[in-house]
């Protein structure tokens, strides 16, 4: 009983510490948050351009926000990264930071917020995620009908292991982020070129079934 009580106190302490740091971050960066909320890309770029290290860390925190609450449009975050760091580096940092953010939310939900969040989702939905963990996460990443934050939260609440979550997130985000990155890179118009979209989606589907086949073989062996 004492061990459970100490664990609960420790969890609550971490949650309050995280909340305090979040509030402090918002206060110190309220100007740039206003620019982001207004989707002012040029204003945000001008504000961050003077300090590369700060820009990298700030955009990482923004990606964590995106993966936790879906506050900003994902294409906005990728666009700012590309304008700050260039097409290739901006895309890669968007992708890499999304993996870091997804892992943070995954473990945060699983070990800190599970008791508070699990009742907010239907048991049937969690059961589907448990049964089709890799498939669910991968499909949700490349076909964004479900917000990124919800994918991370459901994965954290489920019994899905870290490895399939990490692989599905890494590959799925790479495909989807690549397609979104084409817009600010100037390779697609805002309306998107249909041929490019269909090629990307068909390629993603084929890759999905290929990876699923490998996972099924791996399961059958073990």
């Amino acid at each position: 009983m004492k061990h459970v009580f100490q664990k609960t106190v420790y969890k609550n302490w971490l949650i309050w510490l995280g909340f305090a740091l979040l509030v402090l971050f918002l206060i110190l960066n309220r100007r740039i948050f206003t620019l982001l909320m207004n989707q002012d890309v040029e204003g945000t770029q001008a504000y961050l351009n003077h300090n590369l290290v700060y820009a990298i860390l700030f955009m990482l925190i923004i990606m964590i926000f995106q993966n936790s609450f879906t506050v900003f449009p994902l294409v906005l975050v990728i666009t700012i990264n590309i304008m700050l760091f260039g097409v290739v580096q901006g895309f890669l940092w968007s992708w890499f930071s999304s993996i870091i953010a997804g892992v943070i939310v995954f473990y945060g939900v699983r070990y800190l917020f599970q008791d508070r969040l699990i009742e907010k989702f239907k048991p049937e939905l969690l059961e589907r995620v448990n049964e089709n963990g890799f498939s669910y996460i991968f499909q949700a990443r490349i076909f964004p009908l479900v917000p990124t934050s919800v994918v991370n939260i459901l994965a954290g609440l489920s019994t899905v292991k870290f490895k399939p979550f990490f692989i599905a997130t890494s590959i799925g985000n790479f495909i989807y982020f690549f397609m979104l990155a084409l817009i600010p890179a100037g390779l697609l118009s805002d309306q998107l070129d249909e041929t490019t979209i269909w090629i990307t989606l068909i390629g993603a589907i084929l890759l999905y079934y290929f990876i699923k086949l490998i996972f099924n073989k791996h399961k059958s062996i073990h």
Side-chain angles (χ1 to χ4, degrees), residues 158-217:
S158 72
T159 58
V160 175
K161 294 182 179 180
F162 173 73
K163 184 177 179 180
F165 170 81
F166 180 82
I167 295 174
T169 296
S170 299
I171 299 174
N173 279 4
F174 187 92
I175 295 168
Y176 183 57
F177 278 44
F178 176 78
M179 188 168 69
L180 289 181
L182 295 177
I183 302 173
L187 301 179
L188 290 178
S189 66
D190 289 340
Q191 289 74 36
L192 297 178
D193 181 81
E194 280 191 32
T195 304
T196 305
I197 292 178
W198 280 110
I199 291 174
T200 304
L201 291 179
I202 291 172
I205 292 169
L206 293 174
L207 181 61
Y208 160 69
Y209 282 109
F210 176 72
I211 296 172
K212 187 177 180 181
L213 178 64
I214 293 176
F215 261 80
N216 289 336
K217 285 185 177 180

Side-chain angles (χ1 to χ4, degrees), residues 144-159:
L145 302 177
V146 183
T148 301
S149 56
V150 175
V151 178
N152 295 326
I153 291 170
L154 284 173
L157 293 174
S158 72
T159 58

Side-chain angles (χ1 to χ4, degrees), residues 8 30 40 52 54 65 112 121 129 136-137 147 152 155 170 172 181 186 199:
T8 302
R30 57 188 180 278
D40 186 347
L52 181 62
Y54 176 75
F65 267 94
L112 292 177
F121 295 90
V129 179
Y136 168 82
I137 295 166
N152 295 326
S170 299
I199 291 174

Side-chain angles (χ1 to χ4, degrees), residues 75-90:
V75 67
L76 173 66
V77 180
I78 296 174
T79 299
I80 294 171
N81 277 331
I82 286 177
M83 293 184 71
L84 286 171
F85 312 123
V87 176
V88 176
Q89 295 92 333

Side-chain angles (χ1 to χ4, degrees), residues 109-168:
V109 170
R110 179 154 295 184
Y111 295 109
L112 292 177
F113 298 100
Q114 191 168 58
D115 297 340
R116 291 173 170 80
L117 294 174
I118 197 164
E119 294 181 355
K120 299 184 181 296
F121 295 90
K122 294 181 179 180
E124 297 82 8
L125 177 59
L126 289 174
E127 187 61 32
R128 286 203 298 272
V129 179
N130 291 336
E131 292 176 356
N132 307 286
F134 177 86
S135 300
Y136 168 82
I137 295 166
F138 185 80
Q139 290 180 69
R141 297 301 190 197
I142 62 174
F143 302 111
L145 302 177
V146 183
T148 301
S149 56
V150 175
V151 178
N152 295 326
I153 291 170
L154 284 173
L157 293 174
S158 72
T159 58
V160 175
K161 294 182 179 180
F162 173 73
K163 184 177 179 180
F165 170 81
F166 180 82
I167 295 174

